[in-house]
Amino acid sequence: MATSSLSGPGRRGVLGTAAAVAAGTVLPALAAPPARAAGPDRPNVLLIVTDDQPKQTEWATPKTVAWLAGQGVRFSNGHATTPLCAPSRSSVFSGRFAHNHGVRNNSTSPALDRHTTLQRYLSQAGYRTGLFGKYLNAWDVADNPPHFEEFALLRPSYTDGTFNVNGTVRTISGYTTTVIRNRTLAFLGKSRTDSRPWFACVTPYASHGPFTPEPEYAGTEVPAWDGRPSVPEEDRSDKPAYVRDATQTLEDGRLVRAKQLRALRSVDDAVQSFRDKLAALGQLDDTLVVYIGDNGFN
């Protein structure tokens, strides 16, 4: 989360509202106020959510860590309470546990109440809102995501992706993390002519399987990985059937981890470009940046 210069009652008010949502409190409907520029009392919000990014992968994102952990706050005791993509993302948007928002698996995304989401509250408060990347599992790419003014919604893939761009479904050539980066940069750049504060939700497909890296990182050497303590466990009789019957080896895990790290390299490049853009726009001190994974790949 950045930046460290955001302080005072304005920031406490923003974080207090977020805390109320996180606690499951239903906030009152907000009347859209007159447009006001971003500033310490109405910071821009850049939310970056990676897909299935596990712990111990920060080797792949040194620029992200240097910026957000080095100049902001590292939350070292965070947990995905329902570690599955759609339930976790629904919790991010709503501030509720899965048993309250109703999205309990990846096929029940329509259960989320769209009227009690972060994007709706910020839109009503006069923010520009944008979504760039994956939204929720089982969401039809042809359906526009509610309460996002601008969007490039991705049908999950890594190359030559199918996107819903502001209501038009089309294929965009290239690596999807790069497409998402460029769409986000264009959204940020509109601050030059639109003084409203903004909320950008950026959700690349990395590091989800099949973990396809950008060509320039396909052969990148990565650190050795010795697995989790559970990997070599021989007696799994006390475990669920899906664990008892698992056939993956440590070598299989090492291959997955290497591909995850390579795919995340492009995310790190994107985050650096966001920082550079905010600096060029003079918005580093007026932007709250949060980087999280929706859940860790098990």
Side-chain angles (χ1 to χ4, degrees):
M1 182 167 62
T3 65
S4 58
S5 61
L6 280 178
S7 59
R11 187 181 186 192
R12 285 198 295 272
V14 170
L15 297 183
T17 300
V21 175
T25 305
V26 178
L27 300 181
L30 303 174
R36 289 191 288 132
D41 62 331
R42 286 167 61 82
N44 305 311
V45 181
L46 174 58
L47 172 63
I48 304 164
V49 184
T50 53
D51 203 338
D52 286 5
Q53 181 178 353
K55 293 178 66 175
Q56 302 172 340
T57 53
E58 289 187 348
W59 173 89
T61 56
K63 291 173 280 193
T64 301
V65 172
W67 178 27
L68 301 182
Q71 300 178 38
V73 179
R74 180 199 299 270
F75 295 90
S76 59
N77 197 28
H79 301 273
T81 57
T82 306
L84 197 62
C85 293
S88 181
R89 289 165 186 259
S90 296
S91 291
V92 170
F93 288 138
S94 70
R96 293 182 172 87
F97 291 114
H99 61 264
N100 288 326
H101 63 58
V103 182
R104 303 189 183 195
N105 56 58
N106 280 338
S107 63
T108 56
S109 297
L112 180 63
D113 181 0
R114 315 291 164 181
H115 297 291
T116 57
T117 58
L118 176 63
Q119 52 268 30
R120 190 232 180 182
Y121 291 128
L122 290 178
S123 179
Q124 283 196 317
Y127 276 63
R128 286 194 299 127
T129 57
L131 171 68
F132 307 98
K134 177 180 172 180
Y135 183 39
L136 295 171
N137 298 65
W139 187 267
D140 189 334
V141 72
D143 292 338
N144 299 345
H147 308 297
F148 287 104
E149 181 177 328
E150 185 175 333
F151 50 89
L153 173 65
L154 171 68
R155 177 182 291 160
S157 66
Y158 280 101
T159 57
D160 299 337
T162 299
F163 286 84
N164 178 345
V165 180
N166 301 327
T168 301
V169 177
R170 59 192 180 93
T171 298
I172 301 179
S173 300
Y175 193 65
T176 58
T177 301
T178 302
V179 173
I180 291 164
R181 179 197 70 192
N182 292 341
R183 291 277 167 177
T184 303
L185 291 174
F187 178 83
L188 302 185
K190 291 182 180 178
S191 296
R192 297 187 189 279
T193 56
D194 191 329
S195 64
R196 290 177 295 165
W198 48 261
F199 167 53
C201 183
V202 183
T203 54
Y205 194 39
S207 56
H208 196 288
F211 327 104
T212 306
E214 197 168 6
E216 65 181 281
Y217 292 121
T220 298
E221 292 292 329
V222 302
W225 187 65
D226 293 325
R228 301 185 179 98
S230 59
V231 172
E233 184 178 12
E234 293 184 2
D235 183 5
R236 295 182 285 187
S237 60
D238 61 333
K239 302 300 188 297
Y242 75 91
V243 176
R244 294 196 306 270
D245 299 339
T247 59
Q248 291 87 349
T249 65
L250 175 59
E251 196 55 40
D252 292 331
R254 285 173 173 157
L255 179 60
V256 167
R257 177 54 57 94
K259 290 180 177 179
Q260 288 174 323
L261 295 176
R262 290 167 183 149
L264 286 167
R265 280 295 203 184
S266 298
V267 175
D268 197 45
D269 290 342
V271 173
Q272 179 64 45
S273 70
F274 300 154
R275 186 192 184 283
D276 293 344
K277 186 70 169 183
L278 291 173
L281 292 168
Q283 293 188 337
L284 276 176
D285 289 342
D286 296 331
T287 303
L288 181 67
V289 182
V290 181
Y291 180 106
I292 57 175
D294 60 2
N295 70 94
F297 183 72
N298 183 12

